[in-house]
């Protein structure tokens, strides 16, 4: 389990994160999401004991980041944003070195390396020099290093950054396989990626947490209006006038030149589709399509992040 409570960090006079609090329960995979510069790496570096917070506290598996930093570093698997690989070593030599540093006993090193090499699909490259590998394979080596000693907590900072789509799918597959029984915090600035893997997301913007919820709840809570897409056949002037006056309808937009397609913005707390369908039938219009338009998570993310800036603008 990971618990962060009121984490604040200043780099000199400059504040990077402010009062960051969240939890990742045992066995949970949580996405830590925010635009570049939001404070993800800073938070992660504090949780992995690479830098201390200016104030606030955090524990990882019950260990305190200030008092038990060495044990935390041996307990967790950490994939930093830029993986510190030794480019002149072979994959196998590097993993042996990393296993030693993580306190894996000499007798277990061989078995432990075979395990992580197999999990990350590195069998074919284990004798290759790291510097000559593709970015995707380098990332897998970084992940293999994080998995040494079979950590119960994994902290992955932008694990798919700079990878091509095939490599991203591969890394995602490996993370999916690892989720069993593990607590995973995974940072990203790409929303769909996090939404695919994580049941819960923590969104950070300008150093502060702006939302914590499941992707589905975020979608429904943040939708200020619900949009219904409608397509009719036949004459619909009467329908158009009537639908604008239906209680719960906020705005009616025609979206095509043929004027047979509509986007109807409605109160998100009521499903207006039955009323709209009934009205279309009453007015003698053929109903070709009627569905709710879902806001994408990307749109919600933008909404959250821009709302913050607008509020700030209003305050200053
Ligand atoms: P993210 O990982 O979300 O991109 P970071 O945690 O790297 O965000 O950065 C948060 C803020 O702190 C940014 O404004 C960044 O410029 C600043 N920052 C990060 N690291 C340092 C550092 N070592 N010294 C000074 N400022 C830093």
């Amino acid at each position: 389990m990971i618990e962060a409570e009121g984490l604040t960090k200043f780099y000199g006079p400059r504040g990077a994160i402010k009062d960051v609090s969240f939890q990742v329960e045992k066995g949970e995979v949580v996405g830590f999401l925010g635009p570049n510069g939001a404070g993800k790496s800073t938070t992660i570096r504090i949780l992995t004991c690479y830098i201390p917070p200016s104030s606030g506290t955090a524990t990882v598996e019950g260990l305190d980041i200030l008092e038990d930093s060495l044990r935390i570093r041996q307990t967790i698997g950490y994939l930093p944003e830029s993986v510190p690989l030794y480019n002149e070593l072979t994959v196998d030599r590097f993993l042996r070195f990393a296993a030693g540093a993580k306190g894996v006993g000499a007798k277990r090193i061989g078995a432990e390396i075979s395990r992580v090499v197999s999990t990350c699909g590195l069998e074919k490259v284990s004798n290759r020099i790291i510097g000559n590998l593709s970015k995707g394979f380098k990332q897998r080596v970084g992940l293999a290093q994080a998995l040494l000693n079979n950590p119960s907590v994994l902290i992955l900072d932008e694990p798919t950054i700079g990878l091509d789509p095939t490599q991203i799918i591969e890394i995602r597959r490996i993370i999916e396989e690892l989720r069993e029984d593990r607590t995973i915090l995974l940072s990203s600035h790409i929303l769909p990626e996090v939404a695919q893997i994580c049941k819960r997301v923590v969104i950070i913007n300008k150093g502060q947490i702006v939302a914590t919820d499941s992707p589905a709840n975020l979608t429904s809570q943040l939708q200020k209006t619900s949009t219904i897409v409608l397509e009719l056949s036949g004459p619909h002037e009467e329908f158009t006038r009537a639908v604008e006056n239906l209680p719960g309808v906020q705005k009616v937009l025609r979206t095509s030149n043929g004027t047979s397609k509509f986007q109807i913005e409605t109160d998100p707390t009521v499903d207006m589709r039955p009323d709209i369908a009934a009205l279309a039938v009453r007015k003698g219009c053929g109903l070709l399509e009627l569905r709710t338009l879902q806001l994408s998570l990307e749109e919600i993310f933008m909404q959250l992040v821009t709302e913050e800036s607008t509020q700030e603008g209003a305050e200053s």
Side-chain angles (χ1 to χ4, degrees), residues 59-71:
T59 58
V60 178
E61 298 290 68
L63 301 167
D64 186 279
I65 51 162
L66 294 176
E67 286 163 18
D68 308 300
S69 67
L70 192 63
R71 276 186 65 201

Side-chain angles (χ1 to χ4, degrees), residues 11-12 14-17 34-43 45 81 157-158 187 204:
Y11 292 110
R14 193 192 164 98
I17 57 167
N36 288 324
K40 302 180 296 295
S41 293
T42 300
T43 308
R45 276 190 225 123
E81 190 177 352
D157 198 356
E158 300 265 7
S187 87
I204 186 169

